[in-house]
PDB file of all heavy atoms in Angstrom:
ATOM      1  N   ARG S  32     -95.495  15.020 -40.438  1.00 98.00           N
ATOM      2  CA  ARG S  32     -96.227  14.422 -39.260  1.00 98.00           C
ATOM      3  C   ARG S  32     -96.162  12.934 -39.259  1.00 98.00           C
ATOM      4  O   ARG S  32     -96.345  12.280 -40.303  1.00 98.00           O
ATOM      5  CB  ARG S  32     -97.624  14.856 -39.128  1.00 98.00           C
ATOM      6  CG  ARG S  32     -98.342  14.365 -37.872  1.00 98.00           C
ATOM      7  CD  ARG S  32     -99.824  14.034 -38.172  1.00 98.00           C
ATOM      8  NE  ARG S  32     -99.976  13.110 -39.231  1.00 98.00           N
ATOM      9  CZ  ARG S  32     -99.845  11.754 -39.142  1.00 98.00           C
ATOM     10  NH1 ARG S  32     -99.621  11.240 -37.932  1.00 98.00           N
ATOM     11  NH2 ARG S  32     -99.956  10.912 -40.192  1.00 98.00           N
ATOM     12  N   ARG S  33     -95.831  12.315 -38.156  1.00 97.00           N
ATOM     13  CA  ARG S  33     -95.817  10.846 -38.078  1.00 97.00           C
ATOM     14  C   ARG S  33     -96.397  10.541 -36.654  1.00 97.00           C
ATOM     15  O   ARG S  33     -96.247  11.339 -35.751  1.00 97.00           O
ATOM     16  CB  ARG S  33     -94.343  10.281 -38.078  1.00 97.00           C
ATOM     17  CG  ARG S  33     -93.607  10.504 -39.283  1.00 97.00           C
ATOM     18  CD  ARG S  33     -93.963   9.462 -40.400  1.00 97.00           C
ATOM     19  NE  ARG S  33     -93.178   9.624 -41.571  1.00 97.00           N
ATOM     20  CZ  ARG S  33     -93.456  10.526 -42.609  1.00 97.00           C
ATOM     21  NH1 ARG S  33     -94.538  11.215 -42.508  1.00 97.00           N
ATOM     22  NH2 ARG S  33     -92.695  10.591 -43.568  1.00 97.00           N
ATOM     23  N   SER S  34     -96.886   9.296 -36.492  1.00 98.00           N
ATOM     24  CA  SER S  34     -97.250   8.903 -35.203  1.00 98.00           C
ATOM     25  C   SER S  34     -95.956   8.482 -34.486  1.00 98.00           C
ATOM     26  O   SER S  34     -95.225   7.613 -34.938  1.00 98.00           O
ATOM     27  CB  SER S  34     -98.181   7.633 -35.277  1.00 98.00           C
ATOM     28  OG  SER S  34     -99.466   8.072 -35.780  1.00 98.00           O
ATOM     29  N   ARG S  36     -93.813   7.289 -31.122  1.00 98.00           N
ATOM     30  CA  ARG S  36     -94.157   6.375 -30.003  1.00 98.00           C
ATOM     31  C   ARG S  36     -92.925   6.268 -29.085  1.00 98.00           C
ATOM     32  O   ARG S  36     -92.866   5.288 -28.253  1.00 98.00           O
ATOM     33  CB  ARG S  36     -94.659   4.987 -30.533  1.00 98.00           C
ATOM     34  CG  ARG S  36     -95.915   5.126 -31.346  1.00 98.00           C
ATOM     35  CD  ARG S  36     -96.385   3.803 -31.827  1.00 98.00           C
ATOM     36  NE  ARG S  36     -97.620   3.831 -32.562  1.00 98.00           N
ATOM     37  CZ  ARG S  36     -97.659   3.965 -33.875  1.00 98.00           C
ATOM     38  NH1 ARG S  36     -96.533   4.130 -34.627  1.00 98.00           N
ATOM     39  NH2 ARG S  36     -98.850   3.989 -34.515  1.00 98.00           N
ATOM     40  N   PHE S 114     -99.414  -3.083 -41.306  1.00 97.00           N
ATOM     41  CA  PHE S 114     -99.059  -2.162 -40.297  1.00 97.00           C
ATOM     42  C   PHE S 114     -98.436  -2.908 -39.060  1.00 97.00           C
ATOM     43  O   PHE S 114     -97.337  -2.442 -38.564  1.00 97.00           O
ATOM     44  CB  PHE S 114    -100.313  -1.418 -39.715  1.00 97.00           C
ATOM     45  CG  PHE S 114    -100.103  -0.768 -38.379  1.00 97.00           C
ATOM     46  CD1 PHE S 114     -99.413   0.409 -38.273  1.00 97.00           C
ATOM     47  CD2 PHE S 114    -100.592  -1.362 -37.258  1.00 97.00           C
ATOM     48  CE1 PHE S 114     -99.207   0.987 -37.001  1.00 97.00           C
ATOM     49  CE2 PHE S 114    -100.465  -0.794 -35.954  1.00 97.00           C
ATOM     50  CZ  PHE S 114     -99.697   0.344 -35.891  1.00 97.00           C
ATOM     51  N   TYR S 118     -94.672  -2.267 -37.678  1.00 96.00           N
ATOM     52  CA  TYR S 118     -94.593  -1.744 -36.336  1.00 96.00           C
ATOM     53  C   TYR S 118     -93.806  -2.574 -35.418  1.00 96.00           C
ATOM     54  O   TYR S 118     -92.756  -2.229 -34.803  1.00 96.00           O
ATOM     55  CB  TYR S 118     -96.044  -1.527 -35.804  1.00 96.00           C
ATOM     56  CG  TYR S 118     -96.151  -1.043 -34.400  1.00 96.00           C
ATOM     57  CD1 TYR S 118     -95.304  -0.050 -33.971  1.00 96.00           C
ATOM     58  CD2 TYR S 118     -97.171  -1.452 -33.569  1.00 96.00           C
ATOM     59  CE1 TYR S 118     -95.490   0.479 -32.636  1.00 96.00           C
ATOM     60  CE2 TYR S 118     -97.364  -0.945 -32.252  1.00 96.00           C
ATOM     61  CZ  TYR S 118     -96.487   0.002 -31.853  1.00 96.00           C
ATOM     62  OH  TYR S 118     -96.618   0.520 -30.512  1.00 96.00           O
ATOM     63  N   ASN S 139     -98.922   2.605 -24.562  1.00 98.00           N
ATOM     64  CA  ASN S 139     -99.955   3.606 -24.887  1.00 98.00           C
ATOM     65  C   ASN S 139    -100.395   4.323 -23.616  1.00 98.00           C
ATOM     66  O   ASN S 139    -100.562   5.563 -23.696  1.00 98.00           O
ATOM     67  CB  ASN S 139    -101.198   2.919 -25.449  1.00 98.00           C
ATOM     68  CG  ASN S 139    -101.130   2.646 -26.902  1.00 98.00           C
ATOM     69  OD1 ASN S 139    -101.359   3.560 -27.718  1.00 98.00           O
ATOM     70  ND2 ASN S 139    -100.789   1.447 -27.341  1.00 98.00           N
ATOM     71  N   PHE S 143     -96.412   6.854 -24.042  1.00 98.00           N
ATOM     72  CA  PHE S 143     -95.124   6.547 -24.649  1.00 98.00           C
ATOM     73  C   PHE S 143     -93.930   7.423 -24.109  1.00 98.00           C
ATOM     74  O   PHE S 143     -93.067   7.810 -24.829  1.00 98.00           O
ATOM     75  CB  PHE S 143     -95.221   6.741 -26.139  1.00 98.00           C
ATOM     76  CG  PHE S 143     -96.158   5.794 -26.874  1.00 98.00           C
ATOM     77  CD1 PHE S 143     -97.354   6.224 -27.504  1.00 98.00           C
ATOM     78  CD2 PHE S 143     -95.917   4.353 -26.943  1.00 98.00           C
ATOM     79  CE1 PHE S 143     -98.175   5.362 -28.083  1.00 98.00           C
ATOM     80  CE2 PHE S 143     -96.791   3.488 -27.567  1.00 98.00           C
ATOM     81  CZ  PHE S 143     -97.971   3.997 -28.185  1.00 98.00           C
ATOM     82  N   CYS S 184     -99.002  11.350 -31.063  1.00 98.00           N
ATOM     83  CA  CYS S 184     -99.475  10.031 -31.516  1.00 98.00           C
ATOM     84  C   CYS S 184    -100.978   9.995 -31.112  1.00 98.00           C
ATOM     85  O   CYS S 184    -101.277  10.075 -29.844  1.00 98.00           O
ATOM     86  CB  CYS S 184     -98.733   8.864 -30.889  1.00 98.00           C
ATOM     87  SG  CYS S 184     -99.362   7.251 -31.484  1.00 98.00           S
ATOM     88  N   PRO S 185    -101.829   9.887 -32.099  1.00 98.00           N
ATOM     89  CA  PRO S 185    -103.344   9.712 -31.705  1.00 98.00           C
ATOM     90  C   PRO S 185    -103.515   8.348 -31.247  1.00 98.00           C
ATOM     91  O   PRO S 185    -102.947   7.330 -31.819  1.00 98.00           O
ATOM     92  CB  PRO S 185    -103.996  10.040 -33.037  1.00 98.00           C
ATOM     93  CG  PRO S 185    -102.989   9.602 -34.091  1.00 98.00           C
ATOM     94  CD  PRO S 185    -101.648   9.825 -33.557  1.00 98.00           C
ATOM     95  N   GLN S 186    -104.379   8.084 -30.182  1.00 98.00           N
ATOM     96  CA  GLN S 186    -104.484   6.778 -29.612  1.00 98.00           C
ATOM     97  C   GLN S 186    -105.873   6.398 -29.217  1.00 98.00           C
ATOM     98  O   GLN S 186    -106.368   6.924 -28.196  1.00 98.00           O
ATOM     99  CB  GLN S 186    -103.511   6.736 -28.341  1.00 98.00           C
ATOM    100  CG  GLN S 186    -102.062   6.858 -28.687  1.00 98.00           C
ATOM    101  CD  GLN S 186    -101.314   7.260 -27.434  1.00 98.00           C
ATOM    102  OE1 GLN S 186    -101.012   8.384 -27.257  1.00 98.00           O
ATOM    103  NE2 GLN S 186    -101.118   6.292 -26.565  1.00 98.00           N
ATOM    104  N   VAL S 187    -106.433   5.523 -30.013  1.00 97.00           N
ATOM    105  CA  VAL S 187    -107.784   5.102 -29.686  1.00 97.00           C
ATOM    106  C   VAL S 187    -107.706   4.043 -28.500  1.00 97.00           C
ATOM    107  O   VAL S 187    -108.696   3.689 -27.925  1.00 97.00           O
ATOM    108  CB  VAL S 187    -108.441   4.449 -30.978  1.00 97.00           C
ATOM    109  CG1 VAL S 187    -107.923   3.085 -31.261  1.00 97.00           C
ATOM    110  CG2 VAL S 187    -109.946   4.505 -30.814  1.00 97.00           C
ATOM    111  N   ALA S 188    -106.504   3.589 -28.159  1.00 97.00           N
ATOM    112  CA  ALA S 188    -106.271   2.683 -27.139  1.00 97.00           C
ATOM    113  C   ALA S 188    -106.924   3.039 -25.763  1.00 97.00           C
ATOM    114  O   ALA S 188    -107.245   2.246 -24.964  1.00 97.00           O
ATOM    115  CB  ALA S 188    -104.769   2.366 -26.887  1.00 97.00           C
ATOM    116  N   PHE S 189    -107.111   4.384 -25.619  1.00 97.00           N
ATOM    117  CA  PHE S 189    -107.705   4.906 -24.363  1.00 97.00           C
ATOM    118  C   PHE S 189    -109.155   4.657 -24.280  1.00 97.00           C
ATOM    119  O   PHE S 189    -109.633   4.640 -23.184  1.00 97.00           O
ATOM    120  CB  PHE S 189    -107.373   6.392 -24.257  1.00 97.00           C
ATOM    121  CG  PHE S 189    -105.935   6.759 -23.995  1.00 97.00           C
ATOM    122  CD1 PHE S 189    -105.088   7.070 -24.983  1.00 97.00           C
ATOM    123  CD2 PHE S 189    -105.522   6.693 -22.657  1.00 97.00           C
ATOM    124  CE1 PHE S 189    -103.751   7.339 -24.773  1.00 97.00           C
ATOM    125  CE2 PHE S 189    -104.177   6.947 -22.472  1.00 97.00           C
ATOM    126  CZ  PHE S 189    -103.255   7.288 -23.412  1.00 97.00           C
ATOM    127  N   PHE S 210    -110.657   9.332 -27.882  1.00 98.00           N
ATOM    128  CA  PHE S 210    -109.289   8.897 -28.051  1.00 98.00           C
ATOM    129  C   PHE S 210    -108.401   9.728 -27.201  1.00 98.00           C
ATOM    130  O   PHE S 210    -108.817  10.703 -26.609  1.00 98.00           O
ATOM    131  CB  PHE S 210    -108.880   8.919 -29.543  1.00 98.00           C
ATOM    132  CG  PHE S 210    -109.020  10.253 -30.167  1.00 98.00           C
ATOM    133  CD1 PHE S 210    -107.980  11.166 -30.254  1.00 98.00           C
ATOM    134  CD2 PHE S 210    -110.208  10.593 -30.776  1.00 98.00           C
ATOM    135  CE1 PHE S 210    -108.085  12.313 -30.864  1.00 98.00           C
ATOM    136  CE2 PHE S 210    -110.340  11.879 -31.459  1.00 98.00           C
ATOM    137  CZ  PHE S 210    -109.288  12.750 -31.425  1.00 98.00           C
ATOM    138  N   THR S 226     -90.035   4.279 -38.509  1.00 92.00           N
ATOM    139  CA  THR S 226     -90.818   3.442 -39.468  1.00 92.00           C
ATOM    140  C   THR S 226     -91.768   4.423 -40.175  1.00 92.00           C
ATOM    141  O   THR S 226     -92.373   5.284 -39.557  1.00 92.00           O
ATOM    142  CB  THR S 226     -91.722   2.490 -38.645  1.00 92.00           C
ATOM    143  OG1 THR S 226     -90.857   1.764 -37.781  1.00 92.00           O
ATOM    144  CG2 THR S 226     -92.365   1.477 -39.548  1.00 92.00           C
ATOM    145  N   MET S 228     -95.170   4.516 -42.411  1.00 97.00           N
ATOM    146  CA  MET S 228     -96.329   3.715 -42.928  1.00 97.00           C
ATOM    147  C   MET S 228     -96.713   4.121 -44.312  1.00 97.00           C
ATOM    148  O   MET S 228     -96.890   5.363 -44.586  1.00 97.00           O
ATOM    149  CB  MET S 228     -97.482   3.892 -41.931  1.00 97.00           C
ATOM    150  CG  MET S 228     -97.262   3.340 -40.544  1.00 97.00           C
ATOM    151  SD  MET S 228     -96.966   1.596 -40.631  1.00 97.00           S
ATOM    152  CE  MET S 228     -96.235   1.320 -39.017  1.00 97.00           C
ATOM    153  N   ARG S 230     -98.796   4.659 -47.931  1.00 98.00           N
ATOM    154  CA  ARG S 230    -100.134   5.037 -48.347  1.00 98.00           C
ATOM    155  C   ARG S 230    -100.493   4.539 -49.662  1.00 98.00           C
ATOM    156  O   ARG S 230     -99.660   4.277 -50.521  1.00 98.00           O
ATOM    157  CB  ARG S 230    -100.314   6.578 -48.315  1.00 98.00           C
ATOM    158  CG  ARG S 230    -100.009   7.231 -46.970  1.00 98.00           C
ATOM    159  CD  ARG S 230    -101.091   6.896 -45.944  1.00 98.00           C
ATOM    160  NE  ARG S 230    -101.078   7.759 -44.779  1.00 98.00           N
ATOM    161  CZ  ARG S 230    -100.379   7.538 -43.678  1.00 98.00           C
ATOM    162  NH1 ARG S 230     -99.675   6.462 -43.479  1.00 98.00           N
ATOM    163  NH2 ARG S 230    -100.536   8.423 -42.737  1.00 98.00           N
TER     164      ARG S 230
HETATM  165  C1  LIG F 310    -108.080   7.455 -34.833  1.00 91.37           C
HETATM  166  C2  LIG F 310    -106.700   6.797 -34.659  1.00 91.37           C
HETATM  167  C3  LIG F 310    -106.388   5.979 -33.646  1.00 91.37           C
HETATM  168  C4  LIG F 310    -105.108   5.535 -33.444  1.00 91.37           C
HETATM  169  N1  LIG F 310    -104.898   4.750 -32.302  1.00 91.37           N
HETATM  170  C5  LIG F 310    -103.595   4.372 -32.060  1.00 91.37           C
HETATM  171  C6  LIG F 310    -103.288   3.690 -30.793  1.00 91.37           C
HETATM  172  O1  LIG F 310    -104.151   3.487 -29.958  1.00 91.37           O
HETATM  173  N2  LIG F 310    -101.992   3.430 -30.589  1.00 91.37           N
HETATM  174  C7  LIG F 310    -100.995   3.758 -31.515  1.00 91.37           C
HETATM  175  O2  LIG F 310     -99.839   3.434 -31.186  1.00 91.37           O
HETATM  176  N3  LIG F 310    -101.308   4.290 -32.681  1.00 91.37           N
HETATM  177  C8  LIG F 310    -102.515   4.643 -32.952  1.00 91.37           C
HETATM  178  N4  LIG F 310    -102.831   5.355 -34.130  1.00 91.37           N
HETATM  179  C9  LIG F 310    -101.714   5.691 -35.067  1.00 91.37           C
HETATM  180  C10 LIG F 310    -101.822   4.869 -36.322  1.00 91.37           C
HETATM  181  O3  LIG F 310    -101.403   3.580 -36.228  1.00 91.37           O
HETATM  182  C11 LIG F 310    -101.128   5.650 -37.500  1.00 91.37           C
HETATM  183  O4  LIG F 310    -101.779   6.881 -37.702  1.00 91.37           O
HETATM  184  C12 LIG F 310    -100.962   4.857 -38.779  1.00 91.37           C
HETATM  185  O5  LIG F 310    -100.357   3.655 -38.675  1.00 91.37           O
HETATM  186  C13 LIG F 310    -100.325   5.728 -39.880  1.00 91.37           C
HETATM  187  O6  LIG F 310     -99.017   6.081 -39.498  1.00 91.37           O
HETATM  188  P1  LIG F 310     -98.582   7.637 -39.338  1.00 91.37           P
HETATM  189  O7  LIG F 310     -99.517   8.274 -38.342  1.00 91.37           O
HETATM  190  O8  LIG F 310     -97.201   7.481 -38.712  1.00 91.37           O
HETATM  191  O9  LIG F 310     -98.666   8.280 -40.641  1.00 91.37           O
HETATM  192  C14 LIG F 310    -104.134   5.872 -34.322  1.00 91.37           C
HETATM  193  C15 LIG F 310    -104.421   6.692 -35.449  1.00 91.37           C
HETATM  194  C16 LIG F 310    -105.663   7.209 -35.571  1.00 91.37           C
HETATM  195  C17 LIG F 310    -105.916   8.123 -36.723  1.00 91.37           C
END
Side-chain angles (χ1 to χ4, degrees):
R32 184 216 55 81
R33 298 276 183 276
S34 292
R36 299 182 179 89
F114 162 77
Y118 179 39
N139 274 282
F143 296 113
C184 184
Q186 294 159 260
V187 77
F189 288 95
F210 55 94
T226 312
M228 293 300 165
R230 296 296 195 269

